[in-house]
Amino acid sequence: MLDVAALIFSYTFIFGSLYLGIALGFTIITGVLRIFHLGYGAIFLIAAYGTWMFWKDVGFGFIESIVLSFALVALFSFLIYQVVIKKFWEMEDYLLAALIAVFIIIEELVNYAYPEIVGVYLPTTIIEGSISIGPASIPGQLAATSVIAILMVICYLLIFTKTKTGLIMRAISQDIFASQLVGVNFDRMFIVAMILASLPPAIIMLLIAPIWALNPFIGWPLFTYAIVVSVLGGLGNLRGTIMASYIIGFIHAAVGFSLDPRLMLLASLVVVVAVLVFRPEGLARAETIW
Amino acid sequence: MLEVSNLTKRFGGVIAVNEVSFEVEKGEIIGLIGPNGAGKSTLVNLISGFYLPDSGKIRFLGEDITKKKMHERAKMGIARTFQNPRLISNMTAIMNVMYAVLGSERGSKLSLVEAYGEAAYYLDIFDMLKKRDVLVADLPIYELRLLELARALALKPKILLIDEAMAGLNPAEAERVSKLINRIREEFDLTIIWIEHVLKIIMRSVERILVMHYGKLIADDTPEKVVRMPEVVEAYIGEEVV
């Protein structure tokens, strides 16, 4: 009993931090741009398969390939803003359709170039083996990913609360119209937000690549986690995302270790729907990202 | 300084602003009046860039700004306030002014500390420094009006468009705001276009009045002459002009 409790406690932290990292970029986009970025899942694919492409097909070193894949992710976010989001800004239905179409196109391109049988593997392991926390044994890479996810969130909080760019983004997230009146070029800030938001999912993807079997359709489950966490937390609010990540983490750990791991996602979805029935705006919906 | 030529804006079948033309010289303070629905706020929205006109031109400091975006016009020195103050409600008073300082032309060269210092300076002008750490959502309407003026001034504007600064204020507060507007005009060498419904205040605060009615500019003269114009009296039938 004590062992199960320790496992649940440990994995609440591990899962929660992981989901926080996965959802961080989605929350930034929802918070600053006030759009539902249905193309978000493509970022995971571009990060993983871009690294593989630069490394194996183009012939760069592994570290250079990672750097280039981040550049590719940033370029993707820039282009998706310029070509899709800007064009359909005031036509939400077109915007959502176009974003999801981009995601599917990227997915199909990846599946064409690198189908599962290619066996894409990225050696991004930071900690080999397992580490023990009391009676709980945790894969070292998952623990490292969790810690890095938390560090990323701290970095982004510092950006939002302690920098000029962060202050302006928070203002835009509340009132884009008033921001323009004081001379803020929201176009430029949106591009910065899109690029900033693309880095956390790219980093998380590369960190979990050695432990989650990579396949061209991995973007969907990761995107699902981002949506579940963001919706439960309250769209576009970082405080809510932090709370929701650990709540979902707890549900997954509790259900996974005391019932059946196959029920983890189902259980969290039921809880999310139940919460939304009574609190449609999520746990901490706010007019500002922080 | 500002040249508006044949400006027209339609909303469906309604012509909100109809072939309006006028010029504003540097340092002028101009009142913009008219009955409800006359097109005053639409005209200010066209000048500040919130709306783009269907036809006509706007030139500011010799440059055609008709198609310029709102933030570009703000950077050129066009600032405005609103009848219903548009501030960032979840931020403190000083943060609202600070982000105007940062959004301004000089903002990119300032550190956060310098921007904070400048914001405090502008709050102090309106006696709002003591409220610097209060959330905007917790401020009464009088202080929201002052804060909006402080934010507009933080842009170091060349022209300030004021939209009904007296709305919701009691007579004593309206007097204080009126005096502050005149004070900042003198101290900062501002050009001002001021929409106002409190005619007694506007008539004695400005040197020139523009009167709009059904989207058209029906009068452009000194306050003394404007109140005697038959078309103005007719537009205000049922209302006392002064």
Side-chain angles (χ1 to χ4, degrees):
Chain A
M1 188 66 188
L2 198 63
D3 286 358
V4 172
L7 277 170
I8 292 172
F9 180 77
S10 306
Y11 275 87
T12 295
F13 168 75
I14 296 290
F15 288 152
S17 306
L18 186 60
Y19 300 152
L20 184 55
I22 290 169
L24 178 58
F26 189 76
T27 297
I28 292 169
I29 294 169
T30 319
V32 178
L33 278 78
R34 294 284 159 195
I35 62 160
F36 208 72
H37 186 7
L38 292 184
Y40 185 73
I43 296 170
F44 298 103
L45 296 176
I46 295 170
Y49 287 90
T51 303
W52 177 266
M53 178 186 74
F54 288 122
W55 183 35
K56 290 293 180 186
D57 292 345
V58 185
F60 284 105
F62 187 60
I63 300 296
E64 289 98 317
S65 299
I66 289 176
V67 173
L68 285 169
S69 81
F70 284 167
L72 193 61
V73 160
L75 179 66
F76 168 75
S77 293
F78 171 75
L79 289 176
I80 209 164
Y81 175 72
Q82 290 288 4
V83 179
V84 179
I85 296 173
K86 217 164 141 179
K87 183 173 175 62
F88 298 118
W89 180 251
E90 287 176 348
M91 297 178 279
E92 199 172 17
D93 40 358
Y94 289 103
L95 177 64
L96 296 177
L99 287 171
I100 202 141
V102 169
F103 183 8
I104 294 168
I105 288 168
I106 299 285
E107 194 177 61
E108 288 302 318
L109 282 173
V110 169
N111 191 37
Y112 175 75
Y114 306 108
E116 202 162 355
I117 52 166
V118 171
V120 172
Y121 175 78
L122 301 175
T124 48
T125 304
I126 296 172
I127 300 177
E128 301 270 5
S130 297
I131 55 171
S132 297
I133 302 175
S137 175
I138 297 164
Q141 185 65 7
L142 262 187
T145 306
S146 303
V147 171
I148 290 171
I150 291 172
L151 290 175
M152 278 195 303
V153 172
I154 292 170
C155 283
Y156 277 80
L157 283 179
L158 288 174
I159 290 173
F160 282 120
T161 56
K162 304 287 180 199
T163 68
K164 291 196 281 184
T165 302
L167 173 66
I168 292 171
M169 274 189 193
R170 280 160 57 208
I172 289 178
S173 77
Q174 278 200 55
D175 193 333
I176 186 171
F177 174 65
S179 301
Q180 290 173 78
L181 280 173
V182 297
V184 171
N185 183 346
F186 75 94
D187 225 20
R188 193 184 303 155
M189 294 313 290
F190 278 0
I191 291 169
V192 173
M194 286 291 288
I195 291 172
L196 275 178
S198 67
L199 296 178
I203 291 169
I204 292 290
M205 181 71 252
L206 293 185
L207 288 171
I208 60 174
I211 40 179
W212 280 18
L214 277 179
N215 70 76
F217 303 102
I218 199 169
W220 278 110
L222 295 173
F223 180 46
T224 308
Y225 288 132
I227 287 186
V228 168
V229 165
S230 302
V231 169
L232 178 63
L235 286 172
N237 182 259
L238 210 41
R239 279 193 182 92
T241 295
I242 293 169
M243 281 162 61
S245 296
Y246 289 99
I247 289 171
I248 300 287
F250 170 74
I251 294 166
H252 283 188
V255 171
F257 290 111
S258 58
L259 290 172
D260 184 338
R262 287 184 305 162
L263 292 174
M264 283 163 57
L265 185 58
L266 178 63
S268 57
L269 287 172
V270 169
V271 170
V272 168
V273 171
V275 169
L276 293 184
V277 166
F278 296 102
R279 204 176 161 83
E281 73 277 18
L283 295 172
R285 180 75 196 257
E287 288 171 7
T288 177
I289 189 162
W290 184 254
Chain B
M1 171 177 258
L2 180 74
E3 201 181 321
V4 173
S5 327
N6 303 314
L7 211 59
T8 298
K9 180 69 185 174
R10 295 183 186 84
F11 296 105
V14 178
I15 306 178
V17 172
N18 192 357
E19 296 279 325
V20 168
S21 300
F22 63 93
E23 285 181 23
V24 180
E25 297 298 327
K26 185 175 181 302
E28 271 193 294
I29 178 163
I30 297 175
L32 178 56
I33 66 169
N36 283 331
K40 309 179 293 292
S41 291
T42 304
L43 181 60
V44 164
N45 282 332
L46 289 167
I47 297 169
S48 62
F50 183 61
Y51 296 140
L52 291 180
D54 294 312
S55 61
K57 277 207 182 315
I58 306 169
R59 294 177 70 83
F60 180 61
L61 300 172
E63 192 178 335
D64 186 351
I65 60 163
T66 315
K67 290 182 180 166
K68 279 200 184 291
K69 292 176 180 167
M70 208 162 24
H71 70 87
E72 292 170 322
R73 297 186 199 199
K75 277 207 159 52
M76 287 180 76
I78 298 178
R80 68 168 294 182
T81 68
F82 289 85
Q83 186 178 352
N84 300 310
R86 292 290 295 260
L87 294 152
I88 310 293
S89 56
N90 281 350
M91 283 186 175
T92 59
I94 198 155
M95 295 284 264
N96 269 271
V97 183
M98 228 174 121
Y99 97 94
V101 172
L102 293 171
S104 69
E105 194 68 58
R106 66 197 186 284
S108 59
K109 298 181 190 102
L110 297 175
S111 69
L112 271 180
V113 175
E114 288 168 329
Y116 187 93
E118 276 208 26
Y121 165 72
Y122 289 109
L123 281 178
D124 198 28
I125 290 171
F126 294 91
D127 200 22
M128 284 287 289
L129 195 53
K130 57 186 178 293
K131 296 290 177 87
R132 63 181 177 273
D133 295 324
V134 179
L135 275 183
V136 163
D138 296 330
L139 291 173
I141 182 70
Y142 171 66
E143 288 172 347
L144 292 177
R145 297 246 173 257
L146 297 181
L147 183 56
E148 225 190 9
L149 284 167
R151 184 183 69 179
L153 202 58
L155 283 170
K156 291 197 174 171
K158 295 183 177 72
I159 189 164
L160 177 57
L161 312 172
I162 300 173
D163 194 350
E164 298 206 25
M166 309 300 165
L169 305 185
N170 64 39
E173 290 168 340
E175 274 302 329
R176 285 201 290 275
V177 171
S178 163
K179 281 180 184 157
L180 278 167
I181 289 171
N182 279 293
R183 186 186 141 197
I184 60 169
R185 180 208 169 196
E186 282 168 23
E187 277 184 25
F188 294 89
D189 195 19
L190 282 176
T191 305
I192 294 177
I193 299 179
W194 182 356
I195 296 180
E196 196 48 74
H197 268 305
V198 183
L199 297 180
K200 281 179 184 164
I201 285 182
I202 196 84
M203 289 295 177
R204 67 162 188 265
S205 301
V206 304
E207 297 141 354
R208 183 179 154 203
I209 293 269
L210 305 177
V211 187
M212 288 187 75
H213 189 42
Y214 289 126
K216 280 187 173 291
L217 191 62
I218 59 167
D220 177 357
D221 216 319
T222 60
E224 297 74 27
K225 288 183 182 169
V226 157
V227 291
R228 291 187 182 84
M229 291 180 176
E231 54 270 46
V232 175
V233 175
E234 194 180 329
Y236 275 93
I237 272 179
E239 297 178 35
E240 192 184 344
V241 178
V242 181

